[in-house]
Structure formats: structure tokens, C-alpha cells
Amino acid sequence: LRQLAENLPLIPWEATVDVPVSRVEEESGDAPDTPEAGGPWTSAVTLTYIGPQVQSVLGYTPEEFRAPGLWLSRIHPDDRGWMPANRYRGLRDGEAHVSEYRIQARDGTQLWLRNHLGVVHEGGRIFLTGVLLDVTERRRASDGRRRMMQELDHRVKDSLATARAIASRS
């Protein structure tokens, strides 16, 4: 299974949450889990495995990327609140979820990653498994289409306004 996962164009990963399920239940509340809040997600996740694809996508060796705090420190500051209260409940209840966020590669490039996360409860502990997919090109294409549609909308409205002005004068 690992050989299969390491030959796909995605980055498999595994982590442990070094906080018992009971503590996540106590602290889940409605507050987002941010580095400033020091909640269980940001303060107690240990990345135990990351696929070798991380080197071709982000420029870090798996060993470098598993360094405590590196993953979170590379996430764009505006996207670090991607673990709001509903995801706390996902940790508590074992619900899988998908999120997209920007991350800075070793060379400084900003990439978009799609994170498919699974949650496993075993013996009162929380284990996370997932895959990361580089969706940067898809996001760029989507942004390009959106800008093109805005430009087209603007030009059509301009043309209609010109046609109305000509019609009102004739």
C-alpha cells in the first residue's frame, strides 16, 4: 500500500495528535484553533510520516518536513485558521474532511494544497491520515476564468451602455 501511495501524484501523510480524545472534547468549544490560541491541533500534532513526493512538490526532504512546527509555519498566515470549531468536532467525532490552503515551498513559491484528512480514534488517542494534492494550477486556471468572465461582463455592459446611448440619441 505504501509503495502504491508513494507512486501517485499526491503526498501521503500520517500524524498523531498528542492529546487524548477526552481533552479535545473538553477544549473543542466554538473557538477556532489557531497558533495564538494554542489549541490541541496546532500544539500537539506530530507528523510521523510524509511521502517522498513532498520533496518534488515543496522542496523539503521528508525528514526536514517532519520537523516540529515546519508544516504549520509554512502555511500562509491568512490560512492558518483553517481548523475552526467544526474541524475540532471532526477530531472529536472522528469525521474526515477536506480543506485547501496556501503553503510556501522551500524556494518561496506559494502553492495551493488540497488536504484530504481522515481521523482515527484508537485507545483514547487520535491518529490522522491523509493525502496532500497540489492544486495550484487548478486554482490559477479557476482564477483566470473568473477574471476573464469579469472582463467579458465589463465589456458587454460597456457595449450595452454604448448601444443604449446611441439608441437614445437617435
Side-chain angles (χ1 to χ4, degrees):
L1 185 58
R2 184 169 281 184
Q3 185 178 18
L4 173 67
E6 290 178 354
N7 288 299
L8 294 172
L10 44 84
I11 305 169
W13 62 270
E14 295 176 339
T16 59
V17 178
D18 300 321
V19 171
V21 174
S22 59
R23 183 162 155 223
V24 172
E25 290 172 356
E26 292 168 10
E27 296 186 13
S28 60
D30 289 328
D33 184 36
T34 62
E36 296 76 26
W41 177 259
T42 57
S43 61
V45 173
T46 302
L47 194 59
T48 56
Y49 172 79
I50 186 94
Q53 303 92 318
V54 73
Q55 191 157 7
S56 62
V57 175
L58 295 173
Y60 294 96
T61 67
E63 294 76 24
E64 291 170 325
F65 203 71
R66 283 196 321 263
L70 182 69
W71 188 345
L72 184 63
S73 73
R74 294 292 168 227
I75 294 174
H76 191 281
D78 292 345
D79 296 339
R80 287 190 188 150
W82 58 281
M83 187 61 186
N86 64 337
R87 300 232 171 91
Y88 254 134
R89 286 186 283 282
L91 284 180
R92 182 189 64 212
D93 300 335
E95 295 174 3
H97 64 271
V98 177
S99 58
E100 287 189 11
Y101 53 88
R102 292 165 288 180
I103 192 165
Q104 185 177 29
R106 170 174 247 147
D107 66 4
T109 307
Q110 288 287 327
L111 301 174
W112 278 95
L113 293 182
R114 183 174 179 92
N115 190 14
H116 292 260
L117 173 109
V119 181
V120 177
H121 290 184
E122 187 175 297
R125 296 191 61 210
I126 303 170
F127 299 91
L128 308 174
T129 59
V131 291
L132 298 170
L133 180 61
D134 181 359
V135 294
T136 306
E137 290 306 314
R138 182 191 61 127
R139 294 289 292 234
R140 286 183 184 147
S142 177
D143 289 348
R145 281 192 301 275
R146 184 180 40 77
R147 283 192 300 275
M148 187 171 59
M149 291 304 291
Q150 287 172 338
E151 178 64 23
L152 181 60
D153 184 52
H154 174 72
R155 289 181 184 207
V156 167
K157 286 179 181 174
D158 239 14
S159 297
L160 287 174
T162 302
R164 274 192 211 124
I166 292 171
S168 69
R169 290 185 181 169
S170 16

